[in-house]
Tab-separated table of all heavy atoms in Angstrom:
chain	number	residue	atom	x	y	z
P	1	ILE	N	-14.621	-41.422	56.547
P	1	ILE	CA	-13.701	-42.342	55.873
P	1	ILE	C	-14.454	-43.538	55.311
P	1	ILE	O	-14.193	-43.998	54.195
P	1	ILE	CB	-12.607	-42.797	56.857
P	1	ILE	CG1	-11.737	-41.605	57.261
P	1	ILE	CG2	-11.754	-43.891	56.235
P	1	ILE	CD1	-10.781	-41.899	58.395
P	2	ASP	N	-15.412	-44.044	56.102
P	2	ASP	CA	-16.173	-45.214	55.657
P	2	ASP	C	-16.990	-44.904	54.413
P	2	ASP	O	-17.112	-45.730	53.508
P	2	ASP	CB	-17.084	-45.681	56.796
P	2	ASP	CG	-17.872	-46.926	56.423
P	2	ASP	OD1	-17.249	-47.956	56.141
P	2	ASP	OD2	-19.119	-46.853	56.407
P	3	ARG	N	-17.556	-43.689	54.353
P	3	ARG	CA	-18.395	-43.322	53.211
P	3	ARG	C	-17.583	-42.780	52.046
P	3	ARG	O	-18.092	-42.654	50.934
P	3	ARG	CB	-19.430	-42.263	53.622
P	3	ARG	CG	-20.496	-42.780	54.563
P	3	ARG	CD	-21.561	-41.717	54.874
P	3	ARG	NE	-21.025	-40.635	55.682
P	3	ARG	CZ	-20.801	-39.408	55.233
P	3	ARG	NH1	-21.025	-39.119	53.957
P	3	ARG	NH2	-20.331	-38.474	56.041
P	4	GLY	N	-16.332	-42.402	52.296
P	4	GLY	CA	-15.531	-41.794	51.230
P	4	GLY	C	-16.102	-40.459	50.801
P	4	GLY	O	-16.143	-40.136	49.614
P	5	ALA	N	-16.562	-39.663	51.787
P	5	ALA	CA	-17.266	-38.406	51.487
P	5	ALA	C	-16.264	-37.288	51.228
P	5	ALA	O	-15.991	-36.459	52.090
P	5	ALA	CB	-18.200	-38.037	52.642
P	6	PHE	N	-15.701	-37.256	50.035
P	6	PHE	CA	-14.769	-36.199	49.663
P	6	PHE	C	-15.531	-34.927	49.317
P	6	PHE	O	-16.625	-34.970	48.754
P	6	PHE	CB	-13.923	-36.620	48.453
P	6	PHE	CG	-12.905	-37.667	48.772
P	6	PHE	CD1	-13.223	-39.015	48.704
P	6	PHE	CD2	-11.627	-37.309	49.154
P	6	PHE	CE1	-12.288	-39.985	49.002
P	6	PHE	CE2	-10.678	-38.271	49.443
P	6	PHE	CZ	-11.006	-39.612	49.375
P	7	ASN	N	-14.935	-33.792	49.665
P	7	ASN	CA	-15.517	-32.516	49.254
P	7	ASN	C	-15.364	-32.345	47.750
P	7	ASN	O	-14.320	-32.638	47.181
P	7	ASN	CB	-14.808	-31.345	49.951
P	7	ASN	CG	-15.223	-31.208	51.393
P	7	ASN	OD1	-16.284	-31.700	51.781
P	7	ASN	ND2	-14.409	-30.552	52.192
P	8	LYS	N	-16.423	-31.842	47.124
P	8	LYS	CA	-16.323	-31.470	45.716
P	8	LYS	C	-15.801	-30.045	45.630
P	8	LYS	O	-16.291	-29.162	46.319
P	8	LYS	CB	-17.694	-31.558	45.033
P	8	LYS	CG	-18.222	-32.979	44.902
P	8	LYS	CD	-19.537	-32.999	44.160
P	8	LYS	CE	-20.052	-34.415	43.984
P	8	LYS	NZ	-21.338	-34.446	43.261
P	9	ALA	N	-14.824	-29.819	44.782
P	9	ALA	CA	-14.201	-28.500	44.667
P	9	ALA	C	-15.103	-27.554	43.888
P	9	ALA	O	-14.928	-27.309	42.711
P	9	ALA	CB	-12.838	-28.609	43.984
P	10	GLU	N	-16.131	-27.045	44.562
P	10	GLU	CA	-17.112	-26.118	43.978
P	10	GLU	C	-17.813	-26.718	42.774
P	10	GLU	O	-18.425	-26.024	41.985
P	10	GLU	CB	-16.435	-24.814	43.569
P	10	GLU	CG	-17.209	-23.555	43.933
P	10	GLU	CD	-18.682	-23.520	43.523
P	10	GLU	OE1	-19.039	-23.825	42.368
P	10	GLU	OE2	-19.503	-23.187	44.358
P	11	ASP	N	-17.691	-28.034	42.670
P	11	ASP	CA	-18.477	-28.816	41.722
P	11	ASP	C	-18.069	-28.655	40.260
P	11	ASP	O	-17.618	-29.619	39.656
P	11	ASP	CB	-19.968	-28.502	41.868
P	11	ASP	CG	-20.495	-28.961	43.209
P	11	ASP	OD1	-19.918	-29.914	43.776
P	11	ASP	OD2	-21.454	-28.377	43.683
P	12	TYR	N	-18.217	-27.470	39.679
P	12	TYR	CA	-18.109	-27.388	38.226
P	12	TYR	C	-17.228	-26.220	37.775
P	12	TYR	O	-17.065	-25.223	38.474
P	12	TYR	CB	-19.501	-27.212	37.603
P	12	TYR	CG	-20.512	-28.217	38.092
P	12	TYR	CD1	-21.636	-27.813	38.801
P	12	TYR	CD2	-20.350	-29.574	37.845
P	12	TYR	CE1	-22.572	-28.726	39.264
P	12	TYR	CE2	-21.268	-30.500	38.299
P	12	TYR	CZ	-22.373	-30.069	39.006
P	12	TYR	OH	-23.281	-30.988	39.465
P	13	SER	N	-16.707	-26.380	36.574
P	13	SER	CA	-15.995	-25.305	35.900
P	13	SER	C	-16.680	-25.075	34.553
P	13	SER	O	-16.809	-26.009	33.760
P	13	SER	CB	-14.521	-25.684	35.681
P	13	SER	OG	-13.874	-24.709	34.890
P	14	VAL	N	-17.135	-23.838	34.320
P	14	VAL	CA	-17.929	-23.543	33.130
P	14	VAL	C	-17.323	-22.364	32.381
P	14	VAL	O	-17.038	-21.321	32.979
P	14	VAL	CB	-19.396	-23.228	33.492
P	14	VAL	CG1	-20.215	-22.999	32.221
P	14	VAL	CG2	-19.999	-24.365	34.315
P	15	ILE	N	-17.114	-22.552	31.089
P	15	ILE	CA	-16.693	-21.471	30.186
P	15	ILE	C	-17.933	-20.991	29.439
P	15	ILE	O	-18.642	-21.799	28.829
P	15	ILE	CB	-15.633	-21.963	29.186
P	15	ILE	CG1	-14.398	-22.491	29.930
P	15	ILE	CG2	-15.242	-20.849	28.219
P	15	ILE	CD1	-13.389	-23.150	29.009
P	16	PHE	N	-18.194	-19.695	29.485
P	16	PHE	CA	-19.385	-19.140	28.850
P	16	PHE	C	-19.021	-18.407	27.556
P	16	PHE	O	-18.028	-17.656	27.510
P	16	PHE	CB	-20.099	-18.170	29.797
P	16	PHE	CG	-20.753	-18.857	30.958
P	16	PHE	CD1	-20.138	-18.895	32.201
P	16	PHE	CD2	-21.987	-19.481	30.812
P	16	PHE	CE1	-20.731	-19.536	33.275
P	16	PHE	CE2	-22.598	-20.116	31.874
P	16	PHE	CZ	-21.968	-20.145	33.104
P	17	LEU	N	-19.829	-18.630	26.545
P	17	LEU	CA	-19.678	-17.969	25.252
P	17	LEU	C	-20.887	-17.083	25.003
P	17	LEU	O	-21.993	-17.370	25.489
P	17	LEU	CB	-19.563	-19.004	24.121
P	17	LEU	CG	-18.590	-20.165	24.330
P	17	LEU	CD1	-18.666	-21.114	23.142
P	17	LEU	CD2	-17.165	-19.659	24.530
P	18	ASP	N	-20.691	-16.007	24.228
P	18	ASP	CA	-21.845	-15.179	23.874
P	18	ASP	C	-22.609	-15.841	22.726
P	18	ASP	O	-22.285	-16.952	22.290
P	18	ASP	CB	-21.411	-13.749	23.536
P	18	ASP	CG	-20.570	-13.682	22.259
P	18	ASP	OD1	-20.455	-14.708	21.544
P	18	ASP	OD2	-20.030	-12.604	21.960
P	19	ARG	N	-23.600	-15.165	22.216
P	19	ARG	CA	-24.456	-15.772	21.187
P	19	ARG	C	-23.704	-16.060	19.899
P	19	ARG	O	-24.142	-16.883	19.082
P	19	ARG	CB	-25.651	-14.862	20.898
P	19	ARG	CG	-25.288	-13.483	20.385
P	19	ARG	CD	-26.496	-12.629	20.075
P	19	ARG	NE	-27.339	-13.217	19.040
P	19	ARG	CZ	-28.144	-12.515	18.251
P	19	ARG	NH1	-28.220	-11.191	18.382
P	19	ARG	NH2	-28.874	-13.109	17.338
P	20	PHE	N	-22.564	-15.390	19.700
P	20	PHE	CA	-21.775	-15.586	18.484
P	20	PHE	C	-20.594	-16.525	18.691
P	20	PHE	O	-19.801	-16.731	17.776
P	20	PHE	CB	-21.273	-14.238	17.960
P	20	PHE	CG	-22.379	-13.269	17.655
P	20	PHE	CD1	-22.517	-12.098	18.378
P	20	PHE	CD2	-23.303	-13.539	16.655
P	20	PHE	CE1	-23.541	-11.209	18.102
P	20	PHE	CE2	-24.329	-12.652	16.375
P	20	PHE	CZ	-24.454	-11.489	17.103
P	21	GLY	N	-20.439	-17.093	19.895
P	21	GLY	CA	-19.380	-18.062	20.139
P	21	GLY	C	-18.103	-17.506	20.720
P	21	GLY	O	-17.108	-18.232	20.818
P	22	ASN	N	-18.093	-16.234	21.144
P	22	ASN	CA	-16.902	-15.638	21.743
P	22	ASN	C	-16.940	-15.821	23.262
P	22	ASN	O	-17.990	-15.642	23.885
P	22	ASN	CB	-16.818	-14.148	21.404
P	22	ASN	CG	-16.851	-13.904	19.908
P	22	ASN	OD1	-16.076	-14.492	19.167
P	22	ASN	ND2	-17.753	-13.039	19.454
P	23	GLU	N	-15.797	-16.146	23.856
P	23	GLU	CA	-15.764	-16.333	25.302
P	23	GLU	C	-16.005	-15.008	26.016
P	23	GLU	O	-15.395	-13.982	25.701
P	23	GLU	CB	-14.417	-16.921	25.747
P	23	GLU	CG	-14.350	-17.177	27.249
P	23	GLU	CD	-13.059	-17.839	27.691
P	23	GLU	OE1	-12.395	-18.481	26.842
P	23	GLU	OE2	-12.707	-17.710	28.879
P	24	ILE	N	-16.897	-15.040	27.007
P	24	ILE	CA	-17.224	-13.825	27.760
P	24	ILE	C	-16.898	-13.954	29.239
P	24	ILE	O	-17.000	-12.963	29.980
P	24	ILE	CB	-18.715	-13.459	27.607
P	24	ILE	CG1	-19.597	-14.643	28.003
P	24	ILE	CG2	-19.024	-12.989	26.201
P	24	ILE	CD1	-21.092	-14.319	28.022
P	25	GLY	N	-16.504	-15.127	29.686
P	25	GLY	CA	-16.156	-15.280	31.095
P	25	GLY	C	-16.232	-16.721	31.534
P	25	GLY	O	-16.644	-17.610	30.786
P	26	ARG	N	-15.829	-16.922	32.777
P	26	ARG	CA	-15.838	-18.257	33.367
P	26	ARG	C	-16.409	-18.168	34.775
P	26	ARG	O	-16.337	-17.142	35.432
P	26	ARG	CB	-14.431	-18.854	33.417
P	26	ARG	CG	-13.754	-18.937	32.055
P	26	ARG	CD	-12.447	-19.697	32.143
P	26	ARG	NE	-11.776	-19.771	30.843
P	26	ARG	CZ	-10.827	-20.652	30.553
P	26	ARG	NH1	-10.436	-21.528	31.468
P	26	ARG	NH2	-10.272	-20.667	29.366
P	27	ARG	N	-16.959	-19.279	35.199
P	27	ARG	CA	-17.456	-19.390	36.560
P	27	ARG	C	-17.132	-20.791	37.085
P	27	ARG	O	-16.913	-21.717	36.318
P	27	ARG	CB	-18.962	-19.158	36.627
P	27	ARG	CG	-19.388	-17.707	36.483
P	27	ARG	CD	-18.883	-16.879	37.654
P	27	ARG	NE	-19.365	-15.510	37.617
P	27	ARG	CZ	-18.762	-14.503	37.003
P	27	ARG	NH1	-17.638	-14.742	36.330
P	27	ARG	NH2	-19.253	-13.281	37.053
P	28	GLY	N	-17.125	-20.903	38.408
P	28	GLY	CA	-16.821	-22.175	39.027
P	28	GLY	C	-15.333	-22.338	39.214
P	28	GLY	O	-14.575	-21.372	39.340
P	29	ILE	N	-14.876	-23.570	39.216
P	29	ILE	CA	-13.486	-23.860	39.520
P	29	ILE	C	-12.620	-23.804	38.270
P	29	ILE	O	-13.091	-23.972	37.156
P	29	ILE	CB	-13.342	-25.248	40.173
P	29	ILE	CG1	-13.756	-26.343	39.174
P	29	ILE	CG2	-14.166	-25.348	41.440
P	29	ILE	CD1	-13.429	-27.741	39.619
P	30	ARG	N	-11.348	-23.549	38.503
P	30	ARG	CA	-10.322	-23.814	37.494
P	30	ARG	C	-9.386	-24.813	38.147
P	30	ARG	O	-8.735	-24.497	39.143
P	30	ARG	CB	-9.580	-22.532	37.095
P	30	ARG	CG	-10.452	-21.507	36.398
P	30	ARG	CD	-9.630	-20.251	36.089
P	30	ARG	NE	-10.420	-19.237	35.406
P	30	ARG	CZ	-11.165	-18.328	36.023
P	30	ARG	NH1	-11.223	-18.344	37.343
P	30	ARG	NH2	-11.849	-17.435	35.352
P	31	SER	N	-9.340	-25.988	37.626
P	31	SER	CA	-8.597	-27.061	38.282
P	31	SER	C	-7.764	-27.819	37.261
P	31	SER	O	-8.200	-28.030	36.134
P	31	SER	CB	-9.570	-28.013	38.986
P	31	SER	OG	-8.879	-29.072	39.604
P	32	ASP	N	-6.551	-28.218	37.683
P	32	ASP	CA	-5.662	-28.984	36.803
P	32	ASP	C	-4.716	-29.788	37.691
P	32	ASP	O	-3.919	-29.231	38.439
P	32	ASP	CB	-4.870	-28.041	35.893
P	32	ASP	CG	-4.071	-28.801	34.837
P	32	ASP	OD1	-3.944	-30.030	34.959
P	32	ASP	OD2	-3.567	-28.155	33.905
P	33	ASP	N	-4.830	-31.112	37.635
P	33	ASP	CA	-3.963	-31.976	38.435
P	33	ASP	C	-3.036	-32.809	37.557
P	33	ASP	O	-2.590	-33.882	37.949
P	33	ASP	CB	-4.799	-32.894	39.327
P	33	ASP	CG	-5.765	-33.763	38.519
P	33	ASP	OD1	-5.775	-33.638	37.273
P	33	ASP	OD2	-6.500	-34.552	39.136
P	34	SER	N	-2.753	-32.288	36.365
P	34	SER	CA	-2.004	-33.078	35.379
P	34	SER	C	-0.495	-33.023	35.566
P	34	SER	O	0.230	-33.781	34.921
P	34	SER	CB	-2.350	-32.597	33.963
P	34	SER	OG	-1.984	-31.231	33.793
P	35	VAL	N	0.017	-32.130	36.422
P	35	VAL	CA	1.465	-31.974	36.577
P	35	VAL	C	1.933	-32.798	37.770
P	35	VAL	O	1.438	-32.641	38.891
P	35	VAL	CB	1.833	-30.490	36.780
P	35	VAL	CG1	3.345	-30.334	36.943
P	35	VAL	CG2	1.343	-29.671	35.586
P	36	ALA	N	2.881	-33.670	37.551
P	36	ALA	CA	3.421	-34.507	38.618
P	36	ALA	C	4.256	-33.667	39.579
P	36	ALA	O	4.760	-32.600	39.235
P	36	ALA	CB	4.267	-35.633	38.028
P	37	LEU	N	4.430	-34.186	40.804
P	37	LEU	CA	5.163	-33.436	41.820
P	37	LEU	C	6.612	-33.206	41.416
P	37	LEU	O	7.159	-32.113	41.641
P	37	LEU	CB	5.099	-34.190	43.158
P	37	LEU	CG	5.746	-33.492	44.354
P	37	LEU	CD1	4.991	-32.210	44.697
P	37	LEU	CD2	5.784	-34.423	45.563
P	38	ASP	N	7.237	-34.184	40.784
P	38	ASP	CA	8.645	-34.025	40.412
P	38	ASP	C	8.843	-33.063	39.247
P	38	ASP	O	9.978	-32.698	38.928
P	38	ASP	CB	9.277	-35.380	40.099
P	38	ASP	CG	8.537	-36.134	38.990
P	38	ASP	OD1	7.608	-35.547	38.373
P	38	ASP	OD2	8.873	-37.310	38.739
P	39	GLN	N	7.740	-32.636	38.594
P	39	GLN	CA	7.842	-31.662	37.508
P	39	GLN	C	7.640	-30.231	38.004
P	39	GLN	O	7.890	-29.276	37.266
P	39	GLN	CB	6.802	-31.974	36.426
P	39	GLN	CG	7.043	-33.292	35.703
P	39	GLN	CD	5.979	-33.577	34.662
P	39	GLN	OE1	4.908	-32.969	34.661
P	39	GLN	NE2	6.265	-34.517	33.762
P	40	MET	N	7.196	-30.088	39.247
P	40	MET	CA	6.988	-28.750	39.796
P	40	MET	C	8.311	-28.163	40.237
P	40	MET	O	9.229	-28.897	40.642
P	40	MET	CB	6.021	-28.817	40.983
P	40	MET	CG	4.616	-29.228	40.592
P	40	MET	SD	3.486	-29.180	42.007
P	40	MET	CE	1.978	-29.776	41.213
P	41	PRO	N	8.455	-26.838	40.178
P	41	PRO	CA	9.725	-26.207	40.572
P	41	PRO	C	10.085	-26.535	42.018
P	41	PRO	O	9.227	-26.527	42.900
P	41	PRO	CB	9.436	-24.707	40.394
P	41	PRO	CG	8.304	-24.645	39.424
P	41	PRO	CD	7.475	-25.855	39.687
P	42	ASP	N	11.353	-26.797	42.240
P	42	ASP	CA	11.817	-27.149	43.579
P	42	ASP	C	11.587	-26.009	44.558
P	42	ASP	O	11.239	-26.238	45.722
P	42	ASP	CB	13.303	-27.518	43.516
P	42	ASP	CG	13.838	-27.970	44.866
P	42	ASP	OD1	13.332	-28.964	45.404
P	42	ASP	OD2	14.749	-27.295	45.385
P	43	TYR	N	11.764	-24.758	44.103
P	43	TYR	CA	11.582	-23.635	45.026
P	43	TYR	C	10.109	-23.415	45.382
P	43	TYR	O	9.813	-22.839	46.426
P	43	TYR	CB	12.203	-22.346	44.485
P	43	TYR	CG	12.038	-22.103	42.998
P	43	TYR	CD1	10.817	-21.716	42.462
P	43	TYR	CD2	13.118	-22.244	42.130
P	43	TYR	CE1	10.670	-21.471	41.105
P	43	TYR	CE2	12.987	-22.010	40.768
P	43	TYR	CZ	11.757	-21.622	40.258
P	43	TYR	OH	11.599	-21.390	38.910
P	44	LEU	N	9.182	-23.872	44.553
P	44	LEU	CA	7.771	-23.803	44.942
P	44	LEU	C	7.489	-24.757	46.101
P	44	LEU	O	6.792	-24.402	47.062
P	44	LEU	CB	6.882	-24.148	43.747
P	44	LEU	CG	5.378	-24.279	44.045
P	44	LEU	CD1	4.810	-22.967	44.555
P	44	LEU	CD2	4.617	-24.750	42.794
P	45	ILE	N	8.053	-25.964	46.015
P	45	ILE	CA	7.867	-26.947	47.092
P	45	ILE	C	8.523	-26.449	48.376
P	45	ILE	O	7.923	-26.500	49.464
P	45	ILE	CB	8.450	-28.304	46.670
P	45	ILE	CG1	7.691	-28.841	45.448
P	45	ILE	CG2	8.395	-29.295	47.829
P	45	ILE	CD1	8.282	-30.117	44.869
P	46	LYS	N	9.747	-25.925	48.267
P	46	LYS	CA	10.445	-25.439	49.457
P	46	LYS	C	9.733	-24.231	50.068
P	46	LYS	O	9.642	-24.115	51.302
P	46	LYS	CB	11.885	-25.080	49.095
P	46	LYS	CG	12.760	-26.288	48.776
P	46	LYS	CD	14.170	-25.870	48.395
P	46	LYS	CE	15.051	-27.093	48.133
P	46	LYS	NZ	16.423	-26.717	47.717
P	47	ALA	N	9.240	-23.327	49.231
P	47	ALA	CA	8.532	-22.150	49.749
P	47	ALA	C	7.274	-22.556	50.500
P	47	ALA	O	6.941	-21.984	51.547
P	47	ALA	CB	8.187	-21.209	48.598
């Protein structure tokens, strides 16, 4: 708590493109914290 040592969620999220610019895959995290709690479905919270 004193150091504020939070875990990093696998550190990075990377989208990979081939030599011509087409997406070929992803590695690392997929993370999104942009949705507020009151916008999430009520049945998801209850479940």
